[in-house]
Amino acid sequence: MTTAASVPSPTPAEPASAALHPPASTGAADWLLVLLPVIIWGASFLFIAEGLRAVGPAGVTLVRILVGFVTLSLVPSARRPVAASDRWWVALLGVLWMAFPLSMFPFAEQRVSSAITGMLNAAVPLFAAIVAAVLARRLPSRGVAVGLAVGLTGAALMAWPTMHEGRSSVDGVLLILAALVSYGFAINLARPLQQRNGALPVIWRAQAAALVLTAPLGFHDLARAHWATGPVLALLALGVLGTGVAFVLITIAAGRVGSTRASATAFLIPPVALVLGVAVRGEHVAALSVLGAAVCVAGAWLMNRKRAP
């Protein structure tokens, strides 16, 4: 949600190939499978900030995608073929879900805190719903519209304090919003692709496309990097966990507890990012932004409840 990723995130998209309805009983191990990706994706914004201490933003993006791609390559199910007719759509997904938004977050975190970046990711479901309504040329239901209104109000409250911190902070928020819009399109594109081909084969190939696209600028930043142990470990964690293992875990979890429950836990990503940003990096977050994050999550939850089967 990434990114994490994403939903993202980081931002995670719902593994649409998983069953929509959970089994009759859900054990502690099942919920652990759901919560671990949430913690990983919430920590991804901290890992980005730490990685920026050693390498430029394009280098951060390249390393996370490269390491994530290599990690998923070790999972046999990720290497299953996809339909030939879907390959170009998967490549487009590599732009919308991986290359573009994962490039925006490091640039944004040069201007705003990791906590704010993570909290604003609470708006991913809102943008996904808006894009879905536009593509369908159909207004959302009254309940979903209420959730959207509440959620967007929360997003505005989160961003408002940064508007008074100078042009650089405003630019950072705009970069995050651009990434969230991209995620909105990506989630709507990913669902049918994953239904036809499975979640991991689509994600793995999207990462391959993103790897090609981010390599030129990424290698330029890597050549100018000043490596240290902390940033290296953060980048490895960002790639192995946030862009690799978390996707595997959430896919397994969706099959065990249902994709609706699994994706709903993405609402926990903003508080994880907030706590880590404040506790580990000592970041200052305005009380209004924290309130806005809670309002945004509430709106996304209301909307998800109205849309759930």
Side-chain angles (χ1 to χ4, degrees):
M1 222 27 286
T2 102
T3 242
S6 84
V7 152
S9 284
T11 207
E14 175 181 337
S17 61
L20 284 175
H21 302 288
S25 61
T26 302
D30 297 328
W31 286 116
L32 183 61
L33 280 173
V34 173
L35 291 175
L36 281 176
V38 168
I39 296 171
I40 291 170
W41 279 319
S44 292
F45 304 100
L46 170 65
F47 296 150
I48 291 171
E50 290 297 307
L52 286 170
R53 293 169 49 207
V55 64
V60 170
T61 302
L62 176 60
V63 169
R64 76 173 296 181
I65 294 175
L66 173 60
V67 175
F69 175 76
V70 171
T71 301
L72 280 187
S73 299
L74 302 177
V75 181
S77 61
R79 303 195 301 270
R80 290 201 307 262
V82 300
S85 58
D86 285 337
R87 289 173 184 168
W88 285 109
W89 292 111
V90 173
L92 176 60
L93 189 62
V95 178
L96 296 174
W97 194 5
M98 301 288 174
F100 180 75
L102 297 189
S103 295
M104 292 299 99
F105 291 128
F107 281 103
E109 288 197 33
Q110 290 183 315
R111 298 161 172 82
V112 297
S113 68
S114 67
I116 287 292
T117 307
M119 290 193 301
L120 280 171
N121 270 258
V124 168
L126 310 179
F127 284 98
I130 292 170
V131 170
V134 171
L135 294 178
R137 298 181 181 179
R138 182 177 60 195
L139 292 175
S141 67
R142 184 175 181 178
V144 171
V146 169
L148 282 171
V150 172
L152 292 175
T153 299
L157 291 174
M158 269 190 287
W160 182 255
T162 67
M163 301 301 172
H164 304 282
E165 295 176 0
R167 179 63 192 175
S168 180
S169 295
V170 174
D171 290 344
V173 170
L174 292 177
L175 290 172
I176 296 168
L177 292 179
L180 301 187
V181 172
S182 186
Y183 274 147
F185 282 98
I187 289 171
N188 284 280
L189 175 60
R191 284 173 179 150
L193 290 173
Q194 290 177 329
Q195 286 172 341
R196 291 192 293 269
N197 302 285
L200 292 183
V202 170
I203 294 169
W204 184 61
R205 284 166 175 79
Q207 288 180 347
L211 190 57
V212 173
L213 293 171
T214 58
L217 291 177
F219 280 122
H220 178 267
D221 274 1
L222 291 179
R224 301 156 59 95
H226 302 283
W227 298 110
T229 302
V232 168
L233 293 177
L235 289 173
L236 288 176
L238 182 63
V240 173
L241 300 177
T243 321
V245 171
F247 282 118
V248 178
L249 293 177
I250 201 66
T251 301
I252 296 172
R256 297 181 66 165
V257 306
S259 59
T260 298
R261 287 185 183 177
S263 62
T265 58
F267 301 145
L268 298 175
I269 291 175
V272 172
L274 170 62
V275 169
L276 290 177
V278 172
V280 178
R281 292 182 54 83
E283 296 173 346
H284 171 73
V285 180
L288 184 60
S289 292
V290 177
L291 174 63
V295 172
C296 187
V297 168
W301 178 81
L302 285 171
M303 185 193 66
N304 186 73
R305 186 183 65 172
K306 292 296 183 181
R307 298 176 68 195

